């Protein structure tokens, strides 16, 4: 590659980390991640998102149990491989939908807003890149989106301050990486240039 700089390197070197140490990230690091999130672009400059950062271990463990139970009675709404296997995975000891990360940032947004997912996804990528730049690991977490209409999950999230009417778009697991994540090869033929 002929052009390179720190941001391009950070983009290339960011990985989805699924192993974290128990150490919590510093308050300033969390502030930096959330600041990166709110500087993302949003459709029509809506900024109608809410980022709920959960660091309380007991809350994360309680949420995990609610999610674990919800998945055991959940019917996948399409044939996405991760959805087809989650019911069985949720039965296993040690199941953690957020990979036992010390921090989980939940991105929710106004309902019936067509850019809700796009806005939150862009903000999450800012979080992932900011995390990488601070020496932290991170991972996109989809399970709360899959369970966005589950009454038990919604009730618990409401208790954490996520508005009942909000749609849950996604979440980011963040912490210190406990192991290096391998870089999945990039598929060929996904770029088309017309000059
Ligand atoms: C929309 C989306 C949903 C994802 N959901 C999950 C998830 O629920 N759990 C997880 O561990 N990784 C999840 N990932 C991470 C992908 O598995 C990961 O980005 C992919 O394997 C490529 O690896 P890389 O991020 O290290 O390049 C998700 C990524 C995206 C973009």
């Amino acid at each position: 590659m002929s052009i390179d700089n720190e941001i391009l390197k950070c983009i290339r070197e960011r990985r989805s980390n699924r192993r974290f140490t128990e150490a919590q990230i510093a308050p300033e690091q969390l502030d930096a991640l959330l600041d990166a999130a709110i500087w993302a672009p949003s459709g029509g400059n809506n900024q109608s998102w809410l980022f709920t950062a959960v660091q309380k271990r007991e809350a994360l463990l309680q949420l995990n149990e609610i999610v674990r139970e919800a998945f055991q009675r959940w019917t996948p709404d399409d044939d996405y491989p991760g959805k087809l296997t989650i019911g069985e995975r949720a039965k296993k000891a040690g199941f953690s939908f957020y990979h036992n990360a010390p921090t989980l940032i939940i991105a929710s947004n106004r309902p019936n807003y067509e850019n809700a997912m796009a806005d939150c996804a862009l903000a999450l990528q800012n979080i992932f890149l900011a995390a990488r730049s601070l020496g932290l690991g991170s991972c996109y977490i989809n399970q709360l989106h899959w369970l966005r209409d589950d009454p038990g999950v919604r009730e618990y999230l409401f208790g954490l301050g996520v508005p009942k009417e909000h749609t849950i778009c996604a979440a980011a697991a963040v912490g210190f990486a406990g192991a290096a994540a391998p870089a999945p090869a990039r598929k060929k033929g996904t770029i088309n240039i017309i000059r």
Side-chain angles (χ1 to χ4, degrees), residues 14-16 18 80 99 139-143 182 184 186:
R14 176 214 57 81
R15 290 278 67 77
S16 293
R18 299 185 179 88
Y80 184 73
H99 306 307
C139 190
Y140 192 113
I141 301 294
N142 225 348
Q143 284 68 34
R186 299 294 120 165

